[in-house]
Amino acid sequence: MRGDETAAPDARRTVELAAAGDHDAWEQIYRSVYPRLRAYIARHVNADAVDDMVSETMMRAVAGIDGYSWEPAGIDPWVVGIARRVVVDHHRKSGRDRRNALAEGLPASASEPGDALIHADELT
């Protein structure tokens, strides 16, 4: 919801409606922030994870809207900040999965549940 001074009251009202649970307001916010949100996430993760991370970001935004305080820049920077944390969490989890797989003697790509059993079965 970027905008000039004339758009700010509308953007602020949309955020207030979203905080009150208005689904149409959330859709407006989503449509507004989606191109920048998706582009940001796509620069930081593999293509196969982007859609899930956009969804995770928006779920966290909906869950945390009560903690948002209106800023002149609108809600977009807040949502992108959430996306940054989602990306960091994703990389931390991926790193843990790779380290655990390597510690178990699995190939680094084997990080799904059950991979250890499949790998062990292939060795016998």
Side-chain angles (χ1 to χ4, degrees):
M1 299 226 169
R2 281 186 206 170
D4 53 31
E5 294 302 316
T6 59
D10 290 339
R12 186 175 191 154
R13 180 70 182 140
T14 300
V15 171
E16 289 168 354
L17 289 170
D22 185 303
H23 296 288
D24 292 335
W26 273 112
E27 184 172 345
Q28 243 183 303
I29 291 169
Y30 178 77
R31 288 179 185 272
S32 171
V33 75
Y34 179 80
R36 289 177 300 285
L37 177 62
R38 190 172 203 313
Y40 173 83
I41 292 171
R43 284 191 306 269
H44 294 89
V45 300
N46 293 332
D48 60 336
V50 173
D51 290 334
D52 288 342
M53 305 201 89
V54 168
S55 295
E56 175 66 22
T57 299
M58 291 309 296
M59 286 190 315
R60 289 186 189 188
V62 170
I65 191 68
D66 291 336
Y68 172 73
S69 297
W70 179 258
E71 296 289 330
I75 196 168
D76 289 16
W78 180 72
V79 174
V80 173
I82 293 170
R84 186 182 64 77
R85 289 186 293 281
V86 169
V87 166
V88 167
D89 291 348
H90 170 77
H91 286 297
R92 283 182 183 148
K93 182 184 181 312
S94 295
R96 275 194 307 272
D97 290 347
R98 277 192 295 278
R99 284 190 303 277
N100 289 341
L102 290 171
E104 293 175 12
L106 300 175
S109 62
S111 62
E112 293 295 317
D115 283 349
L117 295 174
I118 293 169
H119 182 69
D121 189 45
E122 289 172 352
L123 294 176
T124 57

